[in-house]
Amino acid sequence: MGKEESKDAEMATDEGNQMPFMDTFYSLTSDDPSERSLAASSLLKHVFFQSNTDGVGRDIAIKDGTYALTRLLNGLCSGRASARQGYASCLASFLKISFKCGADGDSEQVWVQHFMKNADGHFENPSEFVRKQFTQSTSLEAPKGEGNKSGWGSKSEEKDHQFGKLFGVLAIVRSGTLSSATPKILNGYVTDLVALYDAKQLFREPSTHALREFFSAVAAFSGLESVGKLIEDTLPTFFNFNSKKENYWTAEKMGLYLHLQTLYMNGNDGNIPKQIHKALLTKKNLNKSFGTRTMKKILANTSSTINTRCNLVWDAIWSYLSEVAEKKKGKGKAKGGRTLRKTLISGDDSPTAIIEALVDDVIVENLLADPIKGSKNNTDGRHLALSLIQQMCQIDLSATFYIHFIFQPTVVKTLFVNTLQKGSKGKQNDKKKNNNALKPLASQILEDLVQSLGKENQQIRICAVKALLRGNPSFDQDTRTETVSALLGFEKSKSSMTSEITNLESQWIEYLHFLMDQVIERVSEKDVEINEAIKYIDVIHTFVKRIMRSVNAESSKPFVQRSLMFFMVGAFFNLGEYESSAMDDDSGGAIARTMAEKIKTAVNCIPYEIRVHMSSDSSPFFSDIVVVKQRDNMSKRFLEEADIVEGAIKSIQDQGAVLVNKINDDDDNDERSNDEGSNAMSRAMQICNEMEALEKNIEDSESESSKTRTISAMRCFASCLKLQLMHPGQPEEIESEAFDEDDGDLSDDILEILSDIFEVASSIAGVSNEGGGDSDDDDSEGEQNSLISLVGICLGTLNSAIGGGGVKSQGGASQMVREFANITWKHALALTREESSRISLDAEVVSALIEAVASTKALAQGEEEANEEDEDMVNIKADDSEEDEGEEMALSFSNALSTGFDSEDEDEIIENSNDNDDDATEEDSNEVKSGDASNDMNIELEPSKLENMLLQDADDESVDADMLEHHEGADGALARLIKMKQEMRKEGQAKKEKVELANKLRCFPLLESVFSNKHSHLLSNQVVLMTILPLLRTRTEFARSINRSGGDSKGEKEAIITKITSLLETKVAKVKLDGLANADACRTVADQIMIQMKKVEDTAHCNCCSILLLLLAKAVGKQGDEDVKLTKSIYSDSVKEWSTKNSTKIRVNLFDELVSRNQSLARSVLTSPLLDACKEGRNIYTKVEAFRILSTIYNVSRINIKNSTEDSLMEEEETKESSSMAALEYNAPAFVSLFVVTLSDVELVEEKRIKAILESVKLFINFACTLYGNTKIWDAVETLEPPISNLIENSSSTSLDNIGRSLSQMIENGIKQHKAKVVELEAEAKAKKASRKKAKSNTSSSAKKEKKKLKKKKSKK
């Protein structure tokens, strides 16, 4: 029963919407609330608001009213549809009106008194009348009769009467008619509700809810004295604290008890009945047993029934503990509208203490623990917990309460994180669905809490953040909210944050130090919490990055320096011998010493796994500085930060800190390794200082030039490499000798690269290298292109462990190295526009890049084709040994390029490599049979393992010992050994392939920079064309590999395919060529492109090949009609193969690309072959597609025709355009004849096919309309009329009929205009002929006159 229905029922309706009186009772049972409301209002209007001033009308109204009251009371017990809601709502309004209003003109009696007189029986007052009518209608006893001998109804009828009694009492309470009721009547209603409470469990909560409303109504109109009397009369033993019965004390009974106490607290009445005088809700009672259960268990079990609302006990608890806040002038109500009570009715506990106990004992201990009995999982408990916290947010609680109780780790992790985080794929669907239902509620609570805490001071907000992160370090990330960020102030704009940085700085620094302390705390314990420590490290990194992007560089500097020093000191240093002392130096050194002292208080050296993570997170800060300050001089910015870091490192080393990668267990090696480390670092610093001096010399003469920027970028590159000499050291459980050997190799590689960088920098600067590097190059070799040396350095670095290649990657440090390698390369390319002598982008440079990104097989295939061309078709068959040697040399060259080592060091790799055949199984079998010793070296099997294999089969009881003539256990072990060897070999090849593919991906940005718009004009035809085939072959190889098997490297191969496609289509194909490339070479490349296109049946691959073919046509475009010849040699055969061969791998996209990108060339090349395809196509689909492409070619507008003759076009382009148009005109009659034949073809006369043909006819007619006066074309067009007319007559399709008629009209109009044009042309021809004849006659008459004049002159003489 809803209050809105009661209000609607009191309102009279329009006469047009009023229902007949008897129909209203049926409509009151409708499930539609609007229909029930209309029925109720119609009933009330009929009874109370009709014109009833005369006696007859009043009698009818009284009679109908008495009948309506009886029907409404009886209807309460109906189980049909929504009868209880409808009848109860109408009853409340009916009683309210009947007790207050009387008939028109009758001021002495109200309606209910008339109804009472009209009813049978004697009643003292209207309330007694209503009570007896109600009791009679909702009584469970039925009169005995013929069909009912027992006097009781069925169980369903009993249940309906019980619900009717419940709804009836609520209707009477809400009608407001109890004010005139006697105590006896009130006691009767309370007794009915208590009986319902005791009847069944399902009636406990609704009956208790009705009792709450009943007592509240009595308190409102009769005062608390009547309530006390009512409690003593009706509830003398209802609240028994000493009862041991099971389920005697329920949540509903507790809710009623607290509600009654709340009524006395709100009324400030101290005369509390003894039944409710004792304190119930206390900290002690939460753990006290009430019957067989404690109160906290009783309250927690309400989660099993929660749906869209909490159990009424919780509403009673919050009303008991809080009150409506008083309104303050100009400020409105307090937060949430409620505030805690100062004192409670009984007990010594404060409201705050009770709420804290509820959180700990009910929410944390029960709701967020194991699933409650009766619940399927803990979702119900979390739902109730969230609802309770949401209700607490409506009370004016202190911020410290939220921090210490709502944000305690258990609540944060179990309630918020587990609810809001993205579920894993393995979770059950129903559980995931429940989590999704809780997410909006949890998000809203967090939003409310942030809004509430946002009004507090900075210290409170920081405490809240600390509490959240103690529960989960990555709270925002896991919950996908901005809770922590908002509390830290990141929700503001960048300008406002920069202006308020003074207020935020202390808050952020405190937060940063808290995160650092959490990391140290996790590593200082006996059981090191590695995962937790790593999470806090990631939070530090994310936090500082957020600051760098939110405020300016100067404001973010303190946070960057603190976090950077913390990471570097923790990752690279052992502080066992560190001694702190006061020193006056730069801020970087002071911060480093502070971080060293902070770490040393807990541990001398951070564990290896955490050092590695700190190292990975320290290096990206340099890259982040570059990203944030893109508009500034990023090289200068980085070098400043690098100088600060170097000063800080020196500062803590002077205090006794030692690099962890120089600490050995063997004391004899300490001095040696430290000397080696010092020498490597000092040598690196020497090279960097020399490069700095080199840059200063250039700045003095050429300020802010490309050369200066290039040298500065190379300095950054060198500084990155220098910092890589520091690394996290070695795991404690690994032997130091093997690790130190790798460490030495890495240091040597770094020093070698630094020397090479200095050489290149000296060459660019024009300074001779007299000792700055260790190069053995002879100066007599002449001037060398510095870009070749630089590309070798960049590629070698990217493919080595320093740049992230190989097995031993350097994590975040490698990312920084890769970034500055790319920056250095881009600056060097920019220098090619100025320094053509020492820096030039030639074929050798591009060839090195292509070899780095293309596959070995693609490169080897190109070398073989080059050798064949040089031999001039002598004998293309070579010995197998020579082929193997060539492939091995190509593989050796590729491996040497990718790893940075000499080919002599790769002999073992070449011996162990295979030919990448498709049948790997056959390879393995042959290799096992041959007993290849080189492959045996790849398997290390311990003797104990082999012995176990032998004994395992030897002890097999299932084998009969008498049948063993030899050791079958040894055979089984050998077989497993062979299988293990094969699997390990395949696994090793897969890992090696993955590393090689990753290296190619890292090298791709270098090649992409070459073909950028800034540098593409420097590339010659040869450089551009030599790029095509290696990349396309690589794309083909990887695409076929993915289609065959996929494999572990599928993702890397797809990434390379995407990059190759993007590079070829968006950069290489758009390079501006001079159009004078060698035609024969372009034709050879075009043939190879067609071969590669047919190897992969893929639309994207076909489009890529088509674009490259158009590039070749553009390369010879300024050599007369060479582009037409080249294109025709490819496309003519391709069209024929596509249209006639069933097994063709050519796709129609090949021709569509040509038409869409170069329509003029397509007209000259495709028109004639496509006409043949329309005639000789292998199937209907091919013919229709040919017609479609031809119609696209003939889709020439008048504007195109006009533009083709404009003076703005070049003469050569005008010639090609005219030639293409001539080809269209020449083939037009043949095209029309094909239309005529096709429109008569039975196979094509289907709606979906013929529509495509008719569309082609329409486009052709539009083309013909641009050539009025061309009799040859229009005579052909005229032949289209008969087949189109025949199609219209025989077609049953309305759409085809409309299309055909439209075409007939177009042809008819076109013929008329053509004939008019012919007449006009004939008239112009006749006029020209007459003009020429007249001019001729005029000339002859003038000549005769001149002769006559001459004769006269002669005769006169």
Side-chain angles (χ1 to χ4, degrees):
M1 180 178 63
K3 294 183 179 180
E4 295 298 330
E5 296 182 47
S6 300
K7 293 179 180 179
D8 293 338
E10 296 178 24
M11 299 173 59
T13 58
D14 297 335
E15 292 184 2
N17 295 331
Q18 188 171 349
M19 291 182 180
F21 175 63
M22 297 303 295
D23 291 347
T24 58
F25 298 102
Y26 180 81
S27 296
L28 284 174
T29 64
S30 174
D31 288 330
D32 185 5
S34 60
E35 184 177 351
R36 295 199 303 267
S37 178
L38 178 61
S41 60
S42 299
L43 186 150
L44 297 176
K45 184 175 182 180
H46 175 82
V47 175
F48 300 114
F49 301 103
Q50 296 285 1
S51 177
N52 48 32
T53 55
D54 57 340
V56 177
R58 181 181 302 176
D59 292 341
I60 294 175
I62 294 172
K63 183 178 179 181
D64 289 346
T66 306
Y67 173 79
L69 178 59
T70 304
R71 282 290 302 268
L72 290 175
L73 290 171
N74 291 334
L76 295 173
C77 302
S78 173
R80 183 183 182 279
S82 299
R84 298 189 188 98
Q85 292 93 319
Y87 280 98
S89 175
C90 186
L91 177 62
S93 300
F94 186 93
L95 292 176
K96 184 176 182 180
I97 297 173
S98 63
F99 270 75
K100 289 184 178 181
C101 302
D104 294 342
D106 186 359
S107 60
E108 296 181 358
Q109 291 183 326
V110 293
W111 282 108
V112 68
Q113 292 175 329
H114 292 291
F115 301 152
M116 184 173 60
K117 292 179 181 180
N118 190 53
D120 297 334
H122 175 72
F123 309 101
E124 294 181 359
N125 55 56
S127 295
E128 183 183 1
F129 164 69
V130 173
R131 170 64 184 169
K132 288 187 176 180
Q133 292 290 329
F134 170 74
T135 304
Q136 183 179 354
S137 298
T138 59
S139 175
L140 298 180
E141 294 185 5
K144 295 182 179 181
E146 296 181 359
N148 186 6
K149 298 181 180 180
S150 65
W152 291 91
S154 63
K155 290 186 177 181
S156 61
E157 291 178 347
E158 179 184 0
K159 183 178 178 181
D160 288 338
H161 279 74
Q162 288 172 334
F163 271 116
K165 183 171 291 188
L166 176 66
F167 276 80
V169 173
L170 284 171
I172 294 172
V173 171
R174 293 181 180 180
S175 68
T177 61
L178 291 178
S179 58
S180 60
T182 62
K184 181 180 178 181
I185 295 174
L186 296 178
N187 291 345
Y189 288 123
V190 174
T191 303
D192 290 342
L193 294 176
V194 172
L196 284 176
Y197 176 89
D198 294 330
K200 292 183 180 179
Q201 184 176 354
L202 66 92
F203 287 111
R204 283 181 183 173
E205 186 174 3
S207 61
T208 307
H209 180 75
L211 283 170
R212 288 181 57 193
E213 282 203 27
F214 190 90
F215 281 108
S216 297
V218 172
F221 62 73
S222 297
L224 292 175
E225 184 178 353
S226 299
V227 172
K229 180 63 176 175
L230 195 59
I231 293 174
E232 292 176 355
D233 294 340
T234 58
L235 306 175
T237 60
F238 192 71
F239 305 111
N240 186 1
F241 278 82
N242 298 320
S243 176
K244 300 298 182 181
K245 293 181 181 179
E246 185 177 1
N247 296 331
Y248 176 82
W249 277 97
T250 63
E252 293 78 15
K253 184 175 289 189
M254 291 179 178
L256 179 60
Y257 189 95
L258 293 174
H259 177 72
L260 295 175
Q261 287 186 329
T262 303
L263 289 178
Y264 279 89
M265 283 194 295
N266 292 338
N268 296 321
D269 191 341
N271 297 323
I272 305 174
K274 61 180 180 180
Q275 287 82 0
I276 60 171
H277 188 274
K278 191 175 182 179
L280 174 65
L281 186 60
T282 62
K283 294 172 62 177
K284 182 179 180 180
N285 285 349
L286 283 174
N287 295 284
K288 180 181 176 181
S289 295
F290 285 77
T292 58
R293 297 179 299 169
T294 60
M295 178 185 286
K296 61 184 179 182
K297 281 291 185 182
I298 294 173
L299 295 177
N301 281 341
T302 59
S303 65
S304 61
T305 59
I306 184 170
N307 292 314
T308 58
R309 59 178 177 80
C310 290
N311 189 287
L312 61 85
V313 67
W314 294 107
D315 186 29
I317 288 174
W318 306 132
S319 299
Y320 175 78
L321 297 174
S322 64
E323 59 186 348
V324 177
E326 295 182 1
K327 189 174 182 180
K328 299 180 181 179
K329 281 189 176 182
K331 295 185 178 180
K333 293 185 178 182
K335 176 181 60 178
R338 301 189 69 86
T339 184
L340 291 177
R341 298 181 186 272
K342 296 180 180 179
T343 57
L344 299 177
I345 194 170
S346 60
D348 298 330
D349 296 332
S350 65
T352 303
I354 293 175
I355 294 179
E356 292 173 356
L358 287 172
V359 174
D360 288 337
D361 296 337
V362 179
I363 295 179
V364 176
E365 184 178 341
N366 288 278
L367 295 179
L368 302 184
D370 295 332
I372 305 300
K373 183 179 180 182
S375 303
K376 294 181 179 179
N377 50 51
N378 205 21
T379 303
D380 291 338
R382 287 190 287 135
H383 193 174
L384 178 58
L386 286 171
S387 300
L388 297 182
I389 292 176
Q390 187 181 39
Q391 293 170 0
M392 291 179 194
C393 293
Q394 305 304 316
I395 305 174
D396 188 11
L397 297 172
S398 64
T400 55
F401 168 80
Y402 293 122
I403 294 172
H404 292 98
F405 291 92
I406 304 302
F407 288 165
Q408 59 178 292
T410 303
V411 177
V412 169
K413 184 177 180 180
T414 308
L415 196 56
F416 293 114
V417 177
N418 291 351
T419 301
L420 292 173
Q421 69 181 356
K422 188 176 182 181
S424 60
K425 295 181 179 179
K427 288 188 177 181
Q428 297 178 354
N429 292 332
D430 57 344
K431 189 173 182 181
K432 184 176 180 181
K433 183 178 180 181
N434 291 331
N435 279 343
N436 290 335
L438 299 181
K439 284 179 182 179
L441 180 59
S443 300
Q444 184 61 44
I445 292 172
L446 283 177
E447 186 178 341
D448 293 341
L449 289 174
V450 169
Q451 186 176 3
S452 175
L453 294 172
K455 301 175 183 178
E456 304 292 339
N457 56 41
Q458 295 179 5
Q459 190 63 35
I460 293 295
R461 294 201 299 269
I462 283 295
C463 291
V465 171
K466 291 178 180 178
L468 287 172
L469 265 63
R470 286 191 182 98
N472 188 302
S474 53
F475 184 85
D476 277 3
Q477 180 181 355
D478 290 347
T479 60
R480 292 176 292 175
T481 62
E482 293 291 329
T483 305
V484 174
S485 299
L487 291 174
L488 291 173
F490 283 114
E491 80 283 359
K492 302 176 183 178
S493 62
K494 183 174 181 178
S495 58
S496 62
M497 290 178 65
T498 303
S499 61
E500 298 179 13
I501 188 62
T502 305
N503 298 327
L504 294 173
E505 183 174 1
S506 59
Q507 175 184 351
W508 287 351
I509 289 179
E510 181 182 353
Y511 172 65
L512 183 60
H513 281 282
F514 162 75
L515 297 175
M516 295 176 182
D517 292 339
Q518 293 300 308
V519 175
I520 296 173
E521 182 180 336
R522 289 337 185 251
V523 302
S524 61
E525 299 174 355
K526 293 182 179 180
D527 298 330
V528 179
E529 300 177 2
I530 294 178
N531 293 332
E532 289 294 313
I534 289 175
K535 285 183 179 180
Y536 279 106
I537 292 172
D538 290 338
V539 173
I540 294 174
H541 188 218
T542 305
F543 170 64
V544 177
K545 286 177 64 177
R546 184 76 177 267
I547 292 179
M548 294 172 65
R549 285 157 176 78
S550 301
V551 298
N552 55 42
E554 190 64 28
S555 300
S556 64
K557 186 175 181 180
F559 309 98
V560 175
Q561 289 185 345
R562 280 175 170 81
S563 56
L564 183 59
M565 296 306 169
F566 176 72
F567 286 154
M568 298 194 73
V569 172
F572 304 134
F573 289 94
N574 185 298
L575 305 174
E577 303 297 330
Y578 179 80
E579 295 181 358
S580 61
S581 62
M583 294 180 63
D584 296 329
D585 58 0
D586 59 345
S587 59
I591 294 174
R593 292 194 302 277
T594 301
M595 297 304 160
E597 293 170 4
K598 180 187 287 289
I599 296 173
K600 184 174 174 58
T601 56
V603 63
N604 289 333
C605 186
I606 289 178
Y608 172 75
E609 293 85 352
I610 302 176
R611 291 202 308 269
V612 170
H613 204 78
M614 296 177 79
S615 171
S616 300
D617 277 355
S618 65
S619 299
F621 276 125
F622 294 97
S623 301
D624 291 336
I625 292 171
V626 175
V627 173
V628 173
K629 303 300 295 179
Q630 285 181 348
R631 298 181 180 179
D632 296 342
N633 191 335
M634 52 188 174
S635 299
K636 181 180 179 181
R637 172 76 173 167
F638 172 80
L639 292 172
E640 291 176 356
E641 296 295 329
D643 291 340
I644 294 174
V645 171
E646 291 176 6
I649 292 172
K650 186 177 184 301
S651 175
I652 60 173
Q653 282 181 325
D654 292 341
Q655 301 299 115
V658 182
L659 291 172
V660 291
N661 59 322
K662 305 308 172 190
I663 300 294
N664 294 313
D665 295 333
D666 188 359
D667 295 336
D668 297 336
N669 292 331
D670 276 347
E671 184 177 355
R672 176 181 57 80
S673 64
N674 279 293
D675 291 341
E676 290 177 357
S678 301
N679 291 335
M681 181 62 74
S682 60
R683 179 61 183 142
M685 295 182 66
Q686 178 186 354
I687 294 175
C688 291
N689 292 336
E690 291 174 353
M691 291 187 66
E692 183 179 2
L694 196 65
E695 182 184 4
K696 289 182 179 179
N697 293 335
I698 298 176
E699 287 180 352
D700 295 339
S701 58
E702 303 179 23
S703 178
E704 294 300 325
S705 64
S706 297
K707 184 184 296 185
T708 305
R709 289 190 292 270
T710 303
I711 299 297
S712 179
M714 297 177 75
R715 274 191 62 200
C716 294
F717 189 14
S719 297
C720 290
L721 293 171
K722 177 182 64 177
L723 292 175
Q724 303 317 301
L725 292 173
M726 297 186 304
H727 61 77
Q730 66 189 59
E732 291 75 8
E733 63 273 10
I734 294 181
E735 296 181 1
S736 60
E737 295 180 359
F739 195 89
D740 287 341
E741 183 180 354
D742 294 338
D743 180 26
D745 292 340
L746 186 63
S747 301
D748 294 341
D749 292 342
I750 291 175
L751 291 176
E752 184 178 354
I753 295 174
L754 286 173
S755 299
D756 294 340
I757 292 175
F758 179 71
E759 275 191 43
V760 175
S762 301
S763 176
I764 292 175
V767 178
S768 60
N769 184 18
E770 299 179 355
D774 296 334
S775 176
D776 296 333
D777 294 342
D778 191 2
D779 295 338
S780 63
E781 292 180 0
E783 195 174 82
Q784 184 182 3
N785 183 8
S786 300
L787 205 60
I788 298 175
S789 302
L790 183 59
V791 74
I793 294 172
C794 292
L795 293 176
T797 303
L798 294 176
N799 291 328
S800 66
I802 304 170
V807 179
K808 188 180 64 174
S809 174
Q810 301 298 302
S814 301
Q815 180 183 358
M816 183 174 62
V817 170
R818 292 196 298 270
E819 186 166 355
F820 276 102
N822 292 328
I823 292 173
T824 302
W825 177 247
K826 290 178 181 178
H827 281 293
L829 289 178
L831 195 61
T832 56
R833 298 192 293 267
E834 301 178 8
E835 294 288 331
S836 58
S837 58
R838 292 188 178 89
I839 298 290
S840 61
L841 190 57
D842 54 17
E844 188 175 359
V845 175
V846 178
S847 177
L849 292 172
I850 293 173
E851 290 171 352
V853 300
S855 67
T856 306
K857 189 175 181 180
L859 295 173
Q861 187 177 356
E863 292 177 2
E864 291 176 1
E865 292 173 358
N867 293 334
E868 291 175 3
E869 292 179 3
D870 294 339
E871 293 173 1
D872 196 21
M873 304 299 290
V874 176
N875 185 8
I876 61 173
K877 292 184 179 181
D879 295 334
D880 294 339
S881 60
E882 294 177 358
E883 287 187 1
D884 294 340
E885 182 180 359
E887 292 180 0
E888 290 175 358
M889 290 300 294
L891 180 63
S892 174
F893 177 76
S894 176
N895 289 334
L897 179 65
S898 62
T899 59
F901 299 116
D902 296 334
S903 59
E904 289 81 357
D905 298 332
E906 299 295 320
D907 293 339
E908 184 178 355
I909 298 177
I910 295 174
E911 291 175 3
N912 293 333
S913 63
N914 62 353
D915 296 333
N916 293 328
D917 294 335
D918 294 338
D919 191 357
T921 306
E922 183 178 352
E923 256 183 25
D924 296 336
S925 177
N926 293 335
E927 192 171 1
V928 171
K929 291 179 181 180
S930 61
D932 191 353
S934 62
N935 284 327
D936 289 341
M937 297 299 294
N938 293 331
I939 307 299
E940 295 182 3
L941 189 64
E942 296 181 4
S944 59
K945 291 185 178 180
L946 181 58
E947 183 179 357
N948 291 336
M949 290 181 183
L950 297 174
L951 295 176
Q952 181 180 355
D953 286 344
D955 296 337
D956 191 353
E957 296 179 357
S958 61
V959 179
D960 190 355
D962 297 335
M963 299 177 61
L964 289 176
E965 297 181 358
H966 60 281
H967 203 304
E968 293 190 8
D971 292 344
L974 181 59
R976 288 197 298 273
L977 177 62
I978 294 172
K979 185 177 180 180
M980 185 196 309
K981 177 181 176 182
Q982 292 174 349
E983 291 175 353
M984 293 181 64
R985 179 174 174 272
K986 291 179 181 179
E987 183 179 355
Q989 288 177 345
K991 289 182 180 179
K992 180 181 177 182
E993 182 186 29
K994 210 173 187 67
V995 171
E996 291 177 351
L997 293 175
N999 292 343
K1000 296 181 187 301
L1001 285 170
R1002 281 189 290 273
C1003 295
F1004 244 103
L1006 303 181
L1007 184 60
E1008 290 172 342
S1009 300
V1010 170
F1011 286 93
S1012 64
N1013 295 331
K1014 296 180 180 179
H1015 313 116
S1016 59
H1017 65 281
L1018 302 173
L1019 301 174
S1020 62
N1021 294 335
Q1022 176 192 0
V1023 172
V1024 176
L1025 297 180
M1026 69 180 286
T1027 308
I1028 295 175
L1029 288 180
L1031 294 180
L1032 185 60
R1033 286 169 178 155
T1034 302
R1035 190 195 190 285
T1036 303
E1037 178 186 345
F1038 289 163
R1040 295 181 69 186
S1041 175
I1042 292 174
N1043 293 336
R1044 280 198 305 267
S1045 59
D1048 297 334
S1049 304
K1050 180 181 178 181
E1052 288 81 358
K1053 291 179 180 178
E1054 289 178 345
I1056 292 178
I1057 289 175
T1058 302
K1059 283 186 171 293
I1060 290 177
T1061 304
S1062 176
L1063 178 63
L1064 292 176
E1065 293 183 357
T1066 62
K1067 293 188 176 182
V1068 176
K1070 293 183 179 181
V1071 174
K1072 295 181 180 179
L1073 301 176
D1074 56 10
L1076 301 175
N1078 184 282
D1080 294 336
C1082 290
R1083 191 169 289 106
T1084 302
V1085 175
D1087 292 337
Q1088 292 299 317
I1089 291 176
M1090 290 302 299
I1091 293 174
Q1092 298 301 317
M1093 185 188 69
K1094 295 176 183 179
K1095 290 183 178 180
V1096 179
E1097 296 186 26
D1098 180 58
T1099 302
H1101 188 73
C1102 180
N1103 292 340
C1104 183
C1105 294
S1106 180
I1107 292 172
L1108 294 177
L1109 291 173
L1110 293 176
L1111 174 65
L1112 295 176
K1114 184 171 64 173
V1116 296
K1118 293 186 179 180
Q1119 302 179 45
D1121 59 347
E1122 283 295 334
D1123 56 343
V1124 177
K1125 292 179 181 179
L1126 174 64
T1127 310
K1128 187 174 291 186
S1129 64
I1130 297 296
Y1131 281 86
S1132 296
D1133 295 338
S1134 299
V1135 173
K1136 184 176 181 181
E1137 179 181 343
W1138 167 75
S1139 61
T1140 57
K1141 291 185 178 181
N1142 291 326
S1143 60
T1144 182
K1145 293 186 178 180
I1146 297 177
R1147 291 174 171 263
V1148 72
N1149 309 70
L1150 178 66
F1151 316 120
D1152 287 333
E1153 284 290 331
L1154 176 60
V1155 174
S1156 63
R1157 294 179 179 272
N1158 195 333
Q1159 194 172 20
S1160 176
L1161 189 61
R1163 295 172 198 156
S1164 301
V1165 173
L1166 294 180
T1167 306
S1168 181
L1170 285 174
L1171 286 172
D1172 295 336
C1174 292
K1175 297 178 186 177
E1176 304 171 0
R1178 65 182 185 272
N1179 51 38
I1180 300 301
Y1181 170 78
T1182 305
K1183 293 180 180 180
V1184 173
E1185 284 294 295
F1187 271 111
R1188 180 186 62 80
I1189 300 173
L1190 271 175
S1191 63
T1192 306
I1193 292 175
Y1194 273 94
N1195 187 12
V1196 182
S1197 63
R1198 294 176 182 270
I1199 298 177
N1200 290 338
I1201 298 295
K1202 181 179 179 181
N1203 288 342
S1204 65
T1205 59
E1206 284 183 357
D1207 297 336
S1208 60
L1209 292 176
M1210 297 176 62
E1211 182 179 354
E1212 186 174 356
E1213 293 179 355
E1214 291 179 357
T1215 303
K1216 292 181 179 180
E1217 185 71 20
S1218 300
S1219 176
S1220 65
M1221 292 302 301
L1224 293 183
E1225 294 178 18
Y1226 175 80
N1227 291 291
F1231 195 19
V1232 174
S1233 63
L1234 282 175
F1235 280 133
V1236 174
V1237 174
T1238 303
L1239 291 175
S1240 304
D1241 192 343
V1242 178
E1243 293 183 355
L1244 284 173
V1245 183
E1246 292 184 9
E1247 185 173 357
K1248 64 178 182 179
R1249 294 172 179 169
I1250 201 64
K1251 279 185 177 181
I1253 303 298
L1254 293 178
E1255 184 64 26
S1256 300
V1257 173
K1258 181 180 178 180
L1259 293 174
F1260 179 81
I1261 294 174
N1262 290 333
F1263 164 77
C1265 290
T1266 63
L1267 298 171
Y1268 290 127
N1270 191 323
T1271 306
K1272 187 176 181 182
I1273 292 179
W1274 277 100
D1275 287 347
V1277 171
E1278 196 169 356
T1279 60
L1280 289 171
E1281 284 188 315
I1284 292 177
S1285 300
N1286 187 36
L1287 180 66
I1288 295 173
E1289 293 175 1
N1290 298 329
S1291 175
S1292 59
S1293 172
T1294 304
S1295 60
L1296 283 180
D1297 183 74
N1298 294 334
I1299 295 173
R1301 294 184 186 279
S1302 176
L1303 290 176
S1304 297
Q1305 188 65 36
M1306 290 178 63
I1307 294 173
E1308 183 178 352
N1309 295 337
I1311 292 174
K1312 289 180 181 179
Q1313 295 188 33
H1314 163 67
K1315 290 180 178 180
K1317 185 68 174 179
V1318 169
V1319 172
E1320 182 183 348
L1321 293 175
E1322 290 178 352
E1324 290 179 359
K1326 289 180 180 180
K1328 289 181 180 180
K1329 185 176 181 181
S1331 176
R1332 287 196 300 269
K1333 186 175 181 181
K1334 184 177 180 180
K1336 186 177 181 181
S1337 62
N1338 291 337
T1339 304
S1340 60
S1341 61
S1342 298
K1344 290 180 180 179
K1345 289 180 179 180
E1346 289 293 331
K1347 287 181 179 180
K1348 288 181 179 180
K1349 289 181 180 180
L1350 290 173
K1351 287 182 179 180
K1352 287 181 179 181
K1353 288 181 180 180
K1354 288 180 179 181
S1355 61
K1356 288 180 179 181
K1357 290 180 179 180

